[in-house]
Amino acid sequence: LGGYVQIVLGVGMIKPTLKACSALMIGLRLAMAFPRKWVLYSRAYSFSKFGFKGSSYGYGMTAITLGVPAGLLLTFIVSRFDSTNPFGDVSLRPWMIFLSFIVGTPIQEEVIFRGLLQTILERRLATGFPLFATSVSFATVMIAILFGLIHLAIGLATAIAAFVLGLLAGELRGRSSSLLPAIVLHAIFNAFSAIW
């Protein structure tokens, strides 16, 4: 959370145009979060332990198979309950929305939440919750809750949808040992939101 405050203050001091603000914040979040965590944990973790490696075709297809119906359903529900536009009053061109919301945001949020935070918490607390005849790790649930809370400013339905996305992405990240399926799933969710 402290990193987010630093980024918002930093961007506020630069005073970019509203259209450049989103891209700048995504870049700064990645630039600040990853090196800091990497320095702290590089002795105990290899780069691939954070999910920076390939994934099997099956996990990619699972991300698409889960992402399309869940993204469509949750986007429909969110549109009924939350009237807040995540872009505010800023009108962005379609390519800007695509690069920022469908490509950039899933990459940077998955790197931070599922790559860094979930990996570290998973190592520290290797317990699970019984859910849907499987065991979802404590780290997956806690990071999904944090992910939902961060989206609460947009609205309660958005926060709940973000929590569900966090559970699905966290479980894909845990099972595949890769961030790619989680990024694909997140991009599908955001694509439905942007199109809606």
Side-chain angles (χ1 to χ4, degrees):
L1 222 49
Y4 279 95
V5 172
Q6 292 171 353
I7 290 164
V8 169
L9 291 175
V11 169
M13 289 177 18
I14 296 170
K15 297 181 181 175
T17 65
L18 287 174
K19 291 182 178 181
C21 189
S22 178
L24 186 58
M25 286 185 74
I26 288 170
L28 284 173
R29 277 186 266 185
L30 277 174
M32 287 180 69
F34 190 75
R36 198 173 348 170
K37 298 292 190 248
W38 181 253
V39 168
L40 287 173
Y41 296 102
S42 62
R43 292 184 189 142
Y45 301 95
S46 68
F47 203 60
S48 65
K49 294 286 184 193
F50 286 103
F52 293 99
K53 61 182 178 178
S55 175
S56 72
Y57 175 78
Y59 284 113
M61 291 309 296
T62 301
I64 294 168
T65 304
L66 285 173
V68 171
L72 186 58
L73 177 65
L74 289 171
T75 299
F76 176 75
I77 292 169
V78 167
S79 71
R80 296 289 178 234
F81 294 102
D82 288 348
S83 59
T84 306
N85 179 355
F87 300 111
D89 294 332
V90 180
S91 62
L92 299 173
R93 295 184 179 178
W95 68 269
M96 292 175 167
I97 291 172
F98 176 79
L99 284 179
S100 174
F101 194 60
I102 300 172
V103 175
T105 299
I107 292 171
Q108 67 93 15
E109 287 185 351
E110 293 308 317
V111 165
I112 292 168
F113 287 93
R114 258 59 69 185
L116 299 174
L117 298 176
Q118 183 173 320
T119 300
I120 292 163
L121 195 57
E122 191 76 51
R123 281 281 184 112
R124 306 263 184 215
L125 309 166
T127 59
F129 291 114
L131 185 68
F132 306 119
T134 184
S135 182
V136 177
S137 77
F138 181 76
T140 298
V141 174
M142 294 312 296
I143 298 305
I145 290 170
L146 177 63
F147 193 64
L149 288 173
I150 286 177
H151 289 82
L152 194 57
I154 301 171
L156 181 59
T158 299
I160 293 168
F163 170 73
V164 172
L165 168 61
L167 280 178
L168 294 173
E171 193 62 13
L172 278 171
R173 160 68 178 101
R175 289 176 185 260
S176 69
S177 300
S178 172
L179 285 172
L180 290 176
I183 291 169
V184 168
L185 179 78
H186 197 146
I188 291 169
F189 266 67
N190 285 9
F192 278 116
S193 257
I195 291 166
W196 198 277

